[in-house]
């Protein structure tokens, strides 16, 4: 099985998105890097994955691949998709924060 992770052309990382969420005072409880476990082992073919209790941040090798996976997730911004893990998350605030970062 190929476990290599394809790099993304994004100038940002999932860590940058996590920092943007923190800077916006959004909840990101228990952040953990699940890149090795899920991007490689589970065959998602994502470049990076940071999971929190509130939101999961996926970085994909391309915007096209992010778009193909967007229907399974909650929001796409560039080569990123985010999934909300708590129904009560203020989704609009997370979307504003990631879109502001990616479009800066």
């Amino acid at each position: 099985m190929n476990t290599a992770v394809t790099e993304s052309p994004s100038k940002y990382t999932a860590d940058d998105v996590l920092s943007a969420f923190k800077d916006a005072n959004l909840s990101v409880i228990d952040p953990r890097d699940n890149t090795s476990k899920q991007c490689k082992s589970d065959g998602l073919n994502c470049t990076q994955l940071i999971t929190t209790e509130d939101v999961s941040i996926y970085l994909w090798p391309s915007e096209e691949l992010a778009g193909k996976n967007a229907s399974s997730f909650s929001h796409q911004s560039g080569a990123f998709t985010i999934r909300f893990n708590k129904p009560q998350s203020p989704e609009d605030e997370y979307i504003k924060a990631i879109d502001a970062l990616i479009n800066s």
Side-chain angles (χ1 to χ4, degrees):
M1 173 169 51
N2 182 3
T3 59
V5 174
T6 305
E7 291 301 314
S8 173
S10 176
K11 65 181 181 179
Y12 298 105
T13 66
D15 297 295
D16 295 325
V17 174
L18 180 67
S19 291
F21 291 161
K22 288 178 181 178
D23 291 346
N25 294 316
L26 297 169
S27 180
V28 285
I29 297 168
D30 191 22
R32 52 216 174 265
D33 188 334
N34 283 321
T35 303
S36 294
K37 180 180 178 195
Q38 293 185 318
C39 290
K40 294 179 182 180
S41 300
D42 290 351
L44 284 179
N45 296 320
C46 49
T47 300
Q48 188 180 15
L49 170 59
I50 293 181
T51 309
T52 75
E53 294 302 309
D54 306 282
V55 65
S56 294
I57 307 160
Y58 295 79
L59 174 58
W60 301 95
S62 68
E63 287 187 32
E64 293 77 24
L65 193 53
K68 288 179 183 178
N69 286 286
S71 64
S72 300
F73 300 91
S74 298
H75 179 73
Q76 177 189 357
S77 187
F80 289 90
T81 53
I82 55 175
R83 183 185 70 218
F84 299 101
N85 300 327
K86 284 188 171 180
Q88 68 272 26
S89 292
E91 294 182 11
D92 290 347
E93 296 302 314
Y94 289 94
I95 290 169
K96 280 186 210 174
I98 192 173
D99 287 350
L101 174 70
I102 302 307
N103 296 317
S104 65

